[in-house]
Amino acid sequence: MSSTPHELFSTLSAEAVSPAAVNAAAARAAELRDTLNHHAHLYYVLDAPALPDAEYDKLFQELQALEVAHPELLTPDSPTQRVIGQVLDGFVPVRHAVPMLSIRTETDTEASGALSFDQRVRKQLELDEAAAPVEYAAELKFDGLAINLRYEQGLLVQAATRGDGETGEDVTQNIRTVAQIPLRLRGITAPVLEVRGEVYMRRDDFEALNERQRAANEKTFVNPRNTAAGAVRQLDPALAAQRPLSFFAYGLGEVQGWALPPTHSGLLAALAEMGLPVCADRAVVQGADGLVAFHQAIGAKRDALPFDIDGVVYKINSLELQQRLGFVSREPRWAVAHKYPAQEQLTRLNDIEIQVGRTGKLTPVAKLEPVFVGGTTVSNATLHNVFELRRKGVRIGDQVIVRRAGDVIPEVVGRLAQARASYVPNFRMPRACPVCGSETLRERGGMDYRCSGGISCPAQRKQALLHFASRRAVDIEGLGDKLVDQLVDAGIVLSLPGLYKLGVAKLAALERMAEKSAQNIVDALEKSKRTTLARFLFGLGIRQVGETTAKDLARHFGRIDALMDASVEQLLLVRDVGPIVAQSIHTFFAQPHNREVVEQLRAAGLSWDEGEGAAAQAGPQPLAGKTLVLTGTLPTLSRDAAKDLIEAAGGKVSGSVSKKTHYVVAGEEAGSKLDKARELGVTVLDEAGLQALLQASQAGEPTRSD
């Protein structure tokens, strides 16, 4: 440059009134933005700085001065716009256009974990032993917080957390503070491109942050993962910017106007070309042997990595094959997370206490000498049940092995084999509930003991209230453990509907509850009245009904009255609902007091959008109870299209042939499933036969194989 940045700016300021000066300022601002973004990418993403910090700061200050003098030159993707000073009132919900699904975890941490995944994939693709190995993309499983970045015309317009997979929180302002994340993608003008990845904190950044905390006599942070998550969900972006966060991209969400590469590895390379950080520790491997080798190689260097991981991820590299395999139970069939052995530590078992859960289940809990394991200090760990405790031979006073992996509840996995100084008796489950004194019972054939007190047991009442109020249920903000303890212990709330009878005066009279806090709770209760049927069902705490099943039930029945009146046979028609789950749901709604709770909650004002549901909308279900298997390539129908037709008629599509299979629909290159069908005498149809079966069913004619 012929003149220094400051000399150039002085000249522009003096001539600011002239069009030429304005044009020069605009050109210089654009040049500075490009230069600063280029060097930021070299520094933060590629770890290859090419400009001294002092020079970078000079260019940054020059751009700031230009934007102050010419506000019209300020752009949303300017490097000066990384930190916005406004403190947020709260996070706005964001509905994901494409759900952020979890992937299956392979718990076998040895080589067989990779082998079993490859075997499943080959079976689902109907590949015999002579077929070529499947090509996989292998990556790291980062220990951070999943984020969805939405770019429109290449510009970052929104960032959202995963949340429950369908709805997350808008954390755009905090994500803008992450220097690794580009505010504008290079060479991308697609209408919509959602990039998914992980926000994390490097170990050295974490240690430096804690050093600063100690120097300022402030509280130190426990581990990088929680610190990163806390920074992303910090309401003040300026404070979030003080925590050094990093980011790795690993996939896509919604895409409009951009042609996807044919492979996942090609996708990652394309993301890197856009200026996004993509982890270099990735590989394209062939077959099970390649997966095992990658797992072992990363395991050997795991401790040397600058950030925490808890495993690796395998994905079929071909996006076409990914689409072909699809999903099962909200998880992709084409990907798996393969964990490493959990972190373990040795400590002393000081005592065993009983915890009573919201369903009355009694769980023995180990009270431990505090020990740092898996990134946090652990003083309690589950012992699961008395039979597991006996199997492990654990007794009070033993030196025990404690395992904690990721967010999994810490558990006692065994004891140090050494002689005890004196006799210690086996732990026995109590005959009476330690909370309410009711008799404890063991389910026939089961391992769990339960309190027979039901809602009369304060522990169950407390847990039921907390579960109902949880973020993934009806979400009553501010209704936490301490407040619930007071409400139950004082006899103020005895059931779920009792929550909605609370007023400001009654709440304000409680310990540590000012009038403003009480009003916040009342407002939160009022807000929670508008929910969804799935959240409401999950909040009821029906045994065996988790979030996924609650969503399936809501989608299938549409109306809660239809669900409450459903028979076990009707419940079995719901996706992924088996006999045990169906019986549990039916038993729950057969109890008059449970139906009364539902009616009282509705009377209290809880509401949600209701429809007829998939079951009613589908009309007659002529193939109800019929199981079909698809194999080979059909002339006109894709595998998914054929499956949709069968399921719309009430049938179930299975991946394997058995004596319970009613029909096998076979196309070209049908494999071993066709042979198995012939061996078992199962009726085999071609596509025309399937269409005829569906048409006959719709006309009310009897179907074969009855």
PDB file of all heavy atoms in Angstrom, residues 605-623:
ATOM      1  N   GLY A 605     -57.376 -25.581  32.173  1.00  0.00           N
ATOM      2  CA  GLY A 605     -57.029 -24.727  31.042  1.00  0.00           C
ATOM      3  C   GLY A 605     -55.948 -25.271  30.137  1.00  0.00           C
ATOM      4  O   GLY A 605     -55.591 -24.623  29.144  1.00  0.00           O
ATOM      5  N   LEU A 606     -55.395 -26.461  30.414  1.00  0.00           N
ATOM      6  CA  LEU A 606     -54.380 -27.003  29.521  1.00  0.00           C
ATOM      7  C   LEU A 606     -55.019 -27.385  28.193  1.00  0.00           C
ATOM      8  O   LEU A 606     -56.086 -28.024  28.168  1.00  0.00           O
ATOM      9  CB  LEU A 606     -53.693 -28.221  30.137  1.00  0.00           C
ATOM     10  CG  LEU A 606     -52.452 -27.869  30.971  1.00  0.00           C
ATOM     11  CD1 LEU A 606     -52.863 -27.370  32.353  1.00  0.00           C
ATOM     12  CD2 LEU A 606     -51.502 -29.039  31.083  1.00  0.00           C
ATOM     13  N   SER A 607     -54.386 -26.994  27.102  1.00  0.00           N
ATOM     14  CA  SER A 607     -54.967 -27.252  25.784  1.00  0.00           C
ATOM     15  C   SER A 607     -53.863 -27.447  24.761  1.00  0.00           C
ATOM     16  O   SER A 607     -52.713 -27.064  24.959  1.00  0.00           O
ATOM     17  CB  SER A 607     -55.871 -26.083  25.359  1.00  0.00           C
ATOM     18  OG  SER A 607     -55.092 -24.900  25.205  1.00  0.00           O
ATOM     19  N   TRP A 608     -54.240 -28.053  23.643  1.00  0.00           N
ATOM     20  CA  TRP A 608     -53.321 -28.315  22.544  1.00  0.00           C
ATOM     21  C   TRP A 608     -54.161 -28.502  21.291  1.00  0.00           C
ATOM     22  O   TRP A 608     -55.371 -28.727  21.351  1.00  0.00           O
ATOM     23  CB  TRP A 608     -52.498 -29.577  22.832  1.00  0.00           C
ATOM     24  CG  TRP A 608     -53.352 -30.733  23.278  1.00  0.00           C
ATOM     25  CD1 TRP A 608     -54.037 -31.620  22.492  1.00  0.00           C
ATOM     26  CD2 TRP A 608     -53.674 -31.079  24.633  1.00  0.00           C
ATOM     27  NE1 TRP A 608     -54.754 -32.502  23.261  1.00  0.00           N
ATOM     28  CE2 TRP A 608     -54.543 -32.207  24.580  1.00  0.00           C
ATOM     29  CE3 TRP A 608     -53.306 -30.570  25.881  1.00  0.00           C
ATOM     30  CZ2 TRP A 608     -55.044 -32.811  25.728  1.00  0.00           C
ATOM     31  CZ3 TRP A 608     -53.811 -31.190  27.019  1.00  0.00           C
ATOM     32  CH2 TRP A 608     -54.655 -32.291  26.941  1.00  0.00           C
ATOM     33  N   ASP A 609     -53.515 -28.413  20.161  1.00  0.00           N
ATOM     34  CA  ASP A 609     -54.221 -28.623  18.900  1.00  0.00           C
ATOM     35  C   ASP A 609     -54.512 -30.110  18.730  1.00  0.00           C
ATOM     36  O   ASP A 609     -53.619 -30.945  18.869  1.00  0.00           O
ATOM     37  CB  ASP A 609     -53.385 -28.124  17.715  1.00  0.00           C
ATOM     38  CG  ASP A 609     -53.230 -26.620  17.725  1.00  0.00           C
ATOM     39  OD1 ASP A 609     -54.160 -25.933  18.195  1.00  0.00           O
ATOM     40  OD2 ASP A 609     -52.179 -26.130  17.267  1.00  0.00           O
ATOM     41  N   GLU A 610     -55.758 -30.426  18.429  1.00  0.00           N
ATOM     42  CA  GLU A 610     -56.138 -31.824  18.209  1.00  0.00           C
ATOM     43  C   GLU A 610     -56.683 -32.000  16.800  1.00  0.00           C
ATOM     44  O   GLU A 610     -57.256 -31.093  16.216  1.00  0.00           O
ATOM     45  CB  GLU A 610     -57.201 -32.268  19.222  1.00  0.00           C
ATOM     46  CG  GLU A 610     -56.662 -32.438  20.630  1.00  0.00           C
ATOM     47  CD  GLU A 610     -57.599 -33.249  21.519  1.00  0.00           C
ATOM     48  OE1 GLU A 610     -58.819 -33.263  21.248  1.00  0.00           O
ATOM     49  OE2 GLU A 610     -57.094 -33.876  22.467  1.00  0.00           O
ATOM     50  N   GLY A 611     -56.455 -33.184  16.268  1.00  0.00           N
ATOM     51  CA  GLY A 611     -56.998 -33.550  14.960  1.00  0.00           C
ATOM     52  C   GLY A 611     -57.476 -34.978  15.027  1.00  0.00           C
ATOM     53  O   GLY A 611     -57.528 -35.587  16.096  1.00  0.00           O
ATOM     54  N   GLU A 612     -57.787 -35.521  13.876  1.00  0.00           N
ATOM     55  CA  GLU A 612     -58.279 -36.899  13.848  1.00  0.00           C
ATOM     56  C   GLU A 612     -57.159 -37.912  14.000  1.00  0.00           C
ATOM     57  O   GLU A 612     -57.375 -39.047  14.363  1.00  0.00           O
ATOM     58  CB  GLU A 612     -59.035 -37.148  12.535  1.00  0.00           C
ATOM     59  CG  GLU A 612     -60.393 -36.490  12.495  1.00  0.00           C
ATOM     60  CD  GLU A 612     -61.271 -36.947  13.647  1.00  0.00           C
ATOM     61  OE1 GLU A 612     -61.347 -38.163  13.883  1.00  0.00           O
ATOM     62  OE2 GLU A 612     -61.860 -36.075  14.310  1.00  0.00           O
ATOM     63  N   GLY A 613     -55.898 -37.465  13.704  1.00  0.00           N
ATOM     64  CA  GLY A 613     -54.783 -38.394  13.848  1.00  0.00           C
ATOM     65  C   GLY A 613     -54.649 -39.299  12.645  1.00  0.00           C
ATOM     66  O   GLY A 613     -55.562 -39.464  11.837  1.00  0.00           O
ATOM     67  N   ALA A 614     -53.475 -39.910  12.518  1.00  0.00           N
ATOM     68  CA  ALA A 614     -53.192 -40.768  11.368  1.00  0.00           C
ATOM     69  C   ALA A 614     -54.146 -41.941  11.287  1.00  0.00           C
ATOM     70  O   ALA A 614     -54.551 -42.369  10.215  1.00  0.00           O
ATOM     71  CB  ALA A 614     -51.754 -41.262  11.442  1.00  0.00           C
ATOM     72  N   ALA A 615     -54.529 -42.487  12.431  1.00  0.00           N
ATOM     73  CA  ALA A 615     -55.392 -43.665  12.432  1.00  0.00           C
ATOM     74  C   ALA A 615     -56.756 -43.344  11.817  1.00  0.00           C
ATOM     75  O   ALA A 615     -57.288 -44.109  11.018  1.00  0.00           O
ATOM     76  CB  ALA A 615     -55.571 -44.186  13.855  1.00  0.00           C
ATOM     77  N   ALA A 616     -57.328 -42.198  12.203  1.00  0.00           N
ATOM     78  CA  ALA A 616     -58.650 -41.840  11.693  1.00  0.00           C
ATOM     79  C   ALA A 616     -58.575 -41.352  10.258  1.00  0.00           C
ATOM     80  O   ALA A 616     -59.429 -41.657   9.438  1.00  0.00           O
ATOM     81  CB  ALA A 616     -59.278 -40.772  12.580  1.00  0.00           C
ATOM     82  N   GLN A 617     -57.527 -40.583   9.931  1.00  0.00           N
ATOM     83  CA  GLN A 617     -57.392 -40.029   8.597  1.00  0.00           C
ATOM     84  C   GLN A 617     -57.186 -41.121   7.564  1.00  0.00           C
ATOM     85  O   GLN A 617     -57.565 -40.998   6.413  1.00  0.00           O
ATOM     86  CB  GLN A 617     -56.208 -39.052   8.552  1.00  0.00           C
ATOM     87  CG  GLN A 617     -56.454 -37.787   9.354  1.00  0.00           C
ATOM     88  CD  GLN A 617     -55.221 -36.927   9.441  1.00  0.00           C
ATOM     89  OE1 GLN A 617     -54.230 -37.181   8.768  1.00  0.00           O
ATOM     90  NE2 GLN A 617     -55.271 -35.910  10.272  1.00  0.00           N
ATOM     91  N   ALA A 618     -56.564 -42.203   7.972  1.00  0.00           N
ATOM     92  CA  ALA A 618     -56.268 -43.263   7.017  1.00  0.00           C
ATOM     93  C   ALA A 618     -57.511 -44.040   6.603  1.00  0.00           C
ATOM     94  O   ALA A 618     -57.491 -44.794   5.649  1.00  0.00           O
ATOM     95  CB  ALA A 618     -55.264 -44.227   7.641  1.00  0.00           C
ATOM     96  N   GLY A 619     -58.617 -43.867   7.303  1.00  0.00           N
ATOM     97  CA  GLY A 619     -59.813 -44.613   6.991  1.00  0.00           C
ATOM     98  C   GLY A 619     -59.653 -46.069   7.403  1.00  0.00           C
ATOM     99  O   GLY A 619     -58.983 -46.384   8.373  1.00  0.00           O
ATOM    100  N   PRO A 620     -60.258 -46.996   6.675  1.00  0.00           N
ATOM    101  CA  PRO A 620     -60.163 -48.416   7.025  1.00  0.00           C
ATOM    102  C   PRO A 620     -58.716 -48.890   7.013  1.00  0.00           C
ATOM    103  O   PRO A 620     -57.886 -48.383   6.259  1.00  0.00           O
ATOM    104  CB  PRO A 620     -60.982 -49.095   5.918  1.00  0.00           C
ATOM    105  CG  PRO A 620     -61.864 -48.024   5.376  1.00  0.00           C
ATOM    106  CD  PRO A 620     -61.091 -46.750   5.501  1.00  0.00           C
ATOM    107  N   GLN A 621     -58.411 -49.863   7.814  1.00  0.00           N
ATOM    108  CA  GLN A 621     -57.068 -50.426   7.900  1.00  0.00           C
ATOM    109  C   GLN A 621     -57.122 -51.900   7.483  1.00  0.00           C
ATOM    110  O   GLN A 621     -56.966 -52.805   8.311  1.00  0.00           O
ATOM    111  CB  GLN A 621     -56.534 -50.286   9.326  1.00  0.00           C
ATOM    112  CG  GLN A 621     -56.477 -48.860   9.828  1.00  0.00           C
ATOM    113  CD  GLN A 621     -55.308 -48.089   9.238  1.00  0.00           C
ATOM    114  OE1 GLN A 621     -54.163 -48.318   9.567  1.00  0.00           O
ATOM    115  NE2 GLN A 621     -55.613 -47.180   8.322  1.00  0.00           N
ATOM    116  N   PRO A 622     -57.336 -52.181   6.181  1.00  0.00           N
ATOM    117  CA  PRO A 622     -57.551 -53.559   5.733  1.00  0.00           C
ATOM    118  C   PRO A 622     -56.341 -54.465   5.918  1.00  0.00           C
ATOM    119  O   PRO A 622     -56.496 -55.683   5.970  1.00  0.00           O
ATOM    120  CB  PRO A 622     -57.901 -53.394   4.247  1.00  0.00           C
ATOM    121  CG  PRO A 622     -57.296 -52.090   3.855  1.00  0.00           C
ATOM    122  CD  PRO A 622     -57.419 -51.216   5.056  1.00  0.00           C
ATOM    123  N   LEU A 623     -55.142 -53.902   5.982  1.00  0.00           N
ATOM    124  CA  LEU A 623     -53.954 -54.732   6.179  1.00  0.00           C
ATOM    125  C   LEU A 623     -53.488 -54.720   7.630  1.00  0.00           C
ATOM    126  O   LEU A 623     -52.357 -55.125   7.914  1.00  0.00           O
ATOM    127  CB  LEU A 623     -52.820 -54.261   5.255  1.00  0.00           C
ATOM    128  CG  LEU A 623     -53.037 -54.475   3.758  1.00  0.00           C
ATOM    129  CD1 LEU A 623     -51.789 -54.071   2.982  1.00  0.00           C
ATOM    130  CD2 LEU A 623     -53.404 -55.921   3.454  1.00  0.00           C
TER     131      LEU A 623
END
